[in-house]
Amino acid sequence: MSNQNRIQPQSLSAQLDAVRHEDRRQILFALRDVERWQPSASDFDGDRSLVGEPAVPAELYHRHLPKLAATGLIEWDRETHSVTRGPEYERLRPLLGFLSKYRSE
């Protein structure tokens, strides 16, 4: 792996940016209890454009999944649309635990 592609450890600012958007939080929360997760339109609210099979909201496909993958929080298989925890995911787990206490508010 070249130095350019090496994932840098997540700073608090990067972690907060990762959880700032509701869809990214939903992805990260989904991975807390499962090894592999496959997003679908039924997992997300709203009237959204869909991409691929199974249908995935376009904003997820083009924006949120790539962003989380680039930071190492998830690994995303574009062919199967499956998502697994990335090498940086465990560093985010304490923040997710804190956020889950206030998730329904």
Side-chain angles (χ1 to χ4, degrees):
M1 176 182 275
S2 74
N3 287 339
Q4 291 177 335
N5 293 333
R6 191 165 305 187
I7 296 168
Q8 297 301 315
Q10 295 292 304
S11 67
L12 178 59
S13 294
Q15 290 180 358
L16 291 172
D17 184 52
V19 299
R20 179 174 31 178
H21 194 278
E22 184 178 344
D23 287 349
R24 289 194 298 267
R25 284 193 305 274
Q26 189 166 346
I27 293 163
L28 295 166
F29 279 129
L31 288 171
R32 286 189 309 169
D33 302 320
V34 298
E35 292 293 320
R36 182 174 303 277
W37 179 69
Q38 203 159 7
S40 69
S42 63
D43 294 327
F44 296 87
D45 295 331
D47 183 24
R48 301 178 184 213
S49 300
L50 303 178
V51 175
E53 281 297 326
V56 176
E59 188 174 5
L60 219 65
Y61 187 87
H62 293 293
R63 182 175 179 201
H64 300 304
L65 290 170
K67 182 173 188 150
L68 292 173
T71 62
L73 292 170
I74 67 166
E75 292 185 359
W76 175 40
D77 185 331
R78 289 177 184 248
E79 291 180 20
T80 65
H81 299 288
S82 63
V83 180
T84 56
R85 292 179 213 129
E88 291 295 314
Y89 185 87
E90 290 304 317
R91 294 175 60 105
L92 187 70
R93 198 178 280 275
L95 178 58
L96 291 173
F98 174 78
L99 293 173
S100 69
K101 291 179 185 178
Y102 303 100
R103 192 172 182 193
S104 62
E105 293 180 7

